[in-house]
């Protein structure tokens, strides 16, 4: 069983930055790919970024390329999402997730474990 706990959300002005963290515990072999997703009110949960836990390859949705960076610290079992140049439309609850599959996975259905989410609000 994998447990994921996010932190780092908050209120920020447009153009500002936030760094999200996700502490991962349990199920080493269940976290081949780690991802960040977000869900705005009234919208479906959408893919933001993914990283291979072992090889470190990264993958981003087009709307965040050049602004967001996904990274990990294997020694601390922590996943990060550095978010720069934030926009009003980035406002959402952000979730980290773990997949037993290997590869750059953007399909929400292929992620097996989820954190509780952290709110990011960008004021315009």
């Amino acid at each position: 069983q994998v447990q994921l706990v996010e932190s780092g959300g908050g209120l920020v002005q447009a153009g500002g930055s936030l760094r999200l963290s996700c502490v991962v515990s349990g199920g080493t072999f269940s976290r081949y790919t780690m991802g960040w997703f977000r869900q705005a009110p009234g919208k479906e949960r959408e893919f933001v970024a993914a990283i291979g836990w072992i090889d470190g390859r990264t993958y981003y949705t087009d709307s965040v390329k050049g602004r967001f960076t996904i990274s990990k610290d294997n020694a601390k079992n922590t996943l990060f999402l550095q978010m720069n140049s934030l926009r009003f439309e980035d406002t959402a609850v952000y979730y980290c997730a773990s997949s037993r599959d290997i590869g750059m996975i953007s399909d929400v259905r292929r992620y097996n474990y989820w954190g509780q989410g952290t709110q990011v609000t960008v004021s315009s």
Side-chain angles (χ1 to χ4, degrees):
Q1 187 77 11
V2 177
Q3 290 83 42
L4 307 169
V5 180
E6 305 98 333
S7 62
L11 174 64
V12 63
Q13 289 187 331
S17 298
L18 282 175
R19 190 192 196 201
L20 305 184
S21 300
C22 174
V23 177
V24 186
S25 60
T28 302
F29 297 105
S30 297
R31 33 185 161 113
Y32 290 116
T33 300
M34 299 295 298
W36 286 100
F37 289 77
R38 65 187 179 186
Q39 188 167 17
K43 295 188 177 181
E44 293 185 350
R45 193 168 297 188
E46 66 171 359
F47 171 77
V48 175
I51 187 168
W53 191 259
I54 297 175
D55 62 14
R57 287 196 304 153
T58 58
Y59 176 51
Y60 299 92
T61 192
D62 286 346
S63 63
V64 307
K65 285 180 181 176
R67 301 189 299 122
F68 290 11
T69 302
I70 187 172
S71 63
K72 59 184 178 65
D73 184 333
N74 289 43
K76 296 183 178 179
N77 287 341
T78 303
L79 179 72
F80 301 102
L81 184 68
Q82 178 67 44
M83 305 185 294
N84 299 329
S85 301
L86 281 162
R87 304 168 180 169
F88 176 75
E89 53 266 34
D90 294 319
T91 296
V93 177
Y94 283 71
Y95 298 89
C96 69
S98 170
S99 174
R100 290 190 289 265
D101 294 338
I102 297 175
M104 295 298 98
I105 303 165
S106 61
D107 188 341
V108 65
R109 295 168 296 181
R110 293 179 65 186
Y111 284 81
N112 311 103
Y113 301 99
W114 294 84
Q116 82 288 350
T118 185
Q119 177 70 47
V120 171
T121 303
V122 184
S123 62
S124 58

